[in-house]
């Protein structure tokens, strides 16, 4: 069994980006600039956005963090996005999800200009991804593809079972793994809350991507010997022995499942850091596209 070390793989990608940005700057070109909008005080969202801003600093990107109260009106939020769309210096815009109830995710996602949509959530970019056209691929599934590539895991002809059909992870993951690109060409089964024979399907999987947000859900009796396990879950579980009052738990019962696997991602330190590296790659591309357009 080999651990898929997301911290290491992510660092390798960030180091490469850092070199490329230094080259850009040395040529007198503008460096990538990511603008992140954080609405409210959700603890997990704060952690994620801070990690994104920190990665920008580490690589040499510019970043702007815009914080808004959770009472912000939809109109004001859309106006903020419009201003960022119009700002030439800003290459990538991300609005951290989830948003407060009174704001429509769809309206916000549709408001970000597709050329600056480094989250890859805009319908135009989702459409391009489905068609296999070059675009911004959502950070979590893109990061997982980069991790698979980093470890050169053979995917061609394999049966991949994706558990969870969210727009952010499960659904795009199923598209990428079934696509004709490098590290695609899987036969994919996309499972969700109405799947009746989940255990049987998982037992047939060469690759399982668990993205349902239920701690420890994937047990050892659901996993075939030698399977590749990608755990996207990162739930905060109350734990009084921790200073923070919680620990992070994946969707896979790691201790029991790991001995059966060929490869497995830990939580934390697996998929999480890869999503950051993927976002940075998207932001770099958004900026590089501007340089080419000039
Ligand atoms: N919330 C959870 N994952 C993501 C993500 O990839 N992007 C944004 N904007 N919000 C998220």
């Amino acid at each position: 069994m080999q651990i898929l070390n997301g911290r290491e793989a992510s660092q390798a990608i960030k180091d490469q980006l850092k070199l490329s940005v230094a080259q850009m700057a040395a040529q007198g070109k503008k460096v990538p600039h990511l603008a992140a909008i954080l609405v409210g005080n959700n603890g997990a969202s704060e952690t994620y956005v801070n990690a994104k801003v920190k990665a920008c600093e580490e690589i040499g990107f510019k970043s702007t963090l815009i914080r808004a109260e959770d009472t912000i009106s939809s109109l004001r939020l859309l106006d903020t996005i419009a201003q960022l769309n119009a700002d030439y210096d800003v290459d990538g815009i991300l609005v951290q999800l989830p948003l407060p109830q009174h704001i429509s995710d769809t309206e916000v996602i549709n408001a970000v200009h597709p050329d600056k949509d480094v989250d890859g959530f805009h319908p135009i970019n989702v459409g391009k991804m489905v068609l296999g056209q070059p675009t911004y691929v959502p950070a979590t599934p893109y990061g997982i593809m980069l991790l698979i590539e980093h470890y050169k895991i053979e995917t061609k002809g394999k049966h991949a079972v994706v558990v969870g059909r969210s727009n952010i992870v499960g659904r795009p993951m199923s598209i990428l793994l079934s696509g004709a690109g490098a590290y695609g060409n899987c036969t994919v089964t996309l499972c969700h809350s109405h799947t009746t024979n989940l255990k049987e399907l998982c037992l047939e999987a060469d690759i399982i991507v668990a993205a349902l947000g239920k701690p420890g859900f994937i047990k050892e009796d659901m996993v075939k010997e030698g399977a590749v396990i990608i755990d996207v879950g990162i739930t905060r579980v109350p734990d009084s022995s921790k200073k923070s009052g919680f620990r992070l738990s994946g969707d896979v019962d790691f201790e029991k499942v790991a001995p059966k696997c060929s490869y497995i991602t830990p939580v934390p330190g697996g998929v999480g850091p890869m999503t950051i590296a993927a976002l940075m790659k998207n932001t770099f591309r958004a900026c590089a596209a501007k340089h080419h357009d000039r």
Side-chain angles (χ1 to χ4, degrees):
M1 182 274 297
Q2 188 176 351
I3 298 279
L4 297 170
N5 187 333
R7 289 201 180 107
E8 227 171 71
S10 152
Q11 195 60 52
I13 292 166
K14 287 189 292 181
D15 289 347
Q16 183 63 51
L17 285 170
K18 191 172 175 174
L19 281 175
S20 305
V21 175
Q23 270 175 6
M24 257 181 190
Q27 290 166 5
K29 294 175 176 166
K30 85 171 227 66
V31 298
H33 180 178
L34 176 70
I37 304 178
L38 174 60
V39 182
N41 302 293
N42 178 304
S45 290
E46 298 227 7
T47 306
Y48 299 146
V49 171
N50 287 338
K52 292 169 188 180
V53 168
K54 199 169 141 252
C56 285
E57 282 165 13
E58 185 189 333
I59 299 173
F61 289 6
K62 251 175 97 172
S63 67
T64 301
L65 172 57
I66 298 171
R67 299 200 58 143
E69 298 287 331
D70 60 3
T71 51
I72 188 174
S73 71
S74 180
L75 214 60
R76 271 201 58 197
L77 181 58
L78 293 173
D79 185 54
T80 305
I81 295 169
Q83 283 175 32
L84 295 172
N85 282 338
D87 183 343
Y88 179 81
D89 194 63
V90 171
D91 302 296
I93 303 169
L94 79 84
V95 185
Q96 189 65 29
L97 302 177
L99 290 166
Q101 283 252 308
H102 68 280
I103 296 173
S104 149
D105 287 5
T106 304
E107 257 190 284
V108 166
I109 286 167
N110 292 357
V112 175
H113 192 286
D115 292 346
K116 298 193 178 193
D117 169 39
V118 286
D119 258 333
F121 293 166
H122 192 285
I124 289 205
N125 290 326
V126 176
K128 286 184 179 178
M129 180 194 60
V130 171
L131 296 170
Q133 296 177 15
T135 187
Y136 303 116
V137 171
T140 304
Y142 184 23
I144 292 169
M145 296 307 280
L146 292 169
L147 190 61
I148 290 173
E149 183 183 344
H150 184 85
Y151 283 92
K152 299 188 167 54
I153 295 171
E154 177 68 76
T155 55
K156 190 163 60 182
K158 298 284 162 65
H159 182 200
V161 170
V162 178
V163 189
R165 59 177 161 186
S166 72
N167 289 340
I168 293 182
V169 187
R171 194 170 298 280
M173 192 76 249
S174 72
I175 308 280
L176 296 174
L177 286 171
S178 62
Y183 302 98
N185 294 303
C186 288
T187 303
V188 177
T189 305
L190 181 55
C191 299
H192 47 76
S193 50
H194 293 279
T195 300
T196 50
N197 55 338
L198 183 68
K199 184 176 166 185
E200 287 72 21
L201 290 166
C202 285
L203 273 169
E204 285 185 13
D206 302 306
I207 300 167
I208 296 178
V209 180
L212 68 161
K214 289 192 178 167
F217 183 87
I218 304 286
K219 304 268 192 272
E220 74 270 28
D221 64 352
M222 298 168 78
V223 175
K224 183 168 81 174
E225 202 70 43
V228 177
I229 306 290
I230 310 287
D231 189 349
V232 185
I234 185 151
T235 307
R236 291 180 168 200
V237 176
D239 185 340
S240 56
S241 74
K242 302 275 181 196
K243 212 165 74 185
S244 60
F246 65 84
R247 65 189 150 81
L248 296 174
S249 175
D251 288 347
V252 177
D253 186 347
F254 184 91
E255 297 303 324
K256 301 261 178 58
V257 170
K260 293 187 85 173
C261 303
S262 54
Y263 296 93
I264 186 166
T265 61
V267 176
V271 173
M274 295 308 296
T275 67
I276 307 274
L279 175 70
M280 296 298 120
K281 274 180 83 81
N282 280 344
T283 307
F284 182 86
R285 264 195 52 211
C287 177
K290 273 183 190 162
H291 295 322
H292 292 136
D293 285 349
R294 297 195 112 202

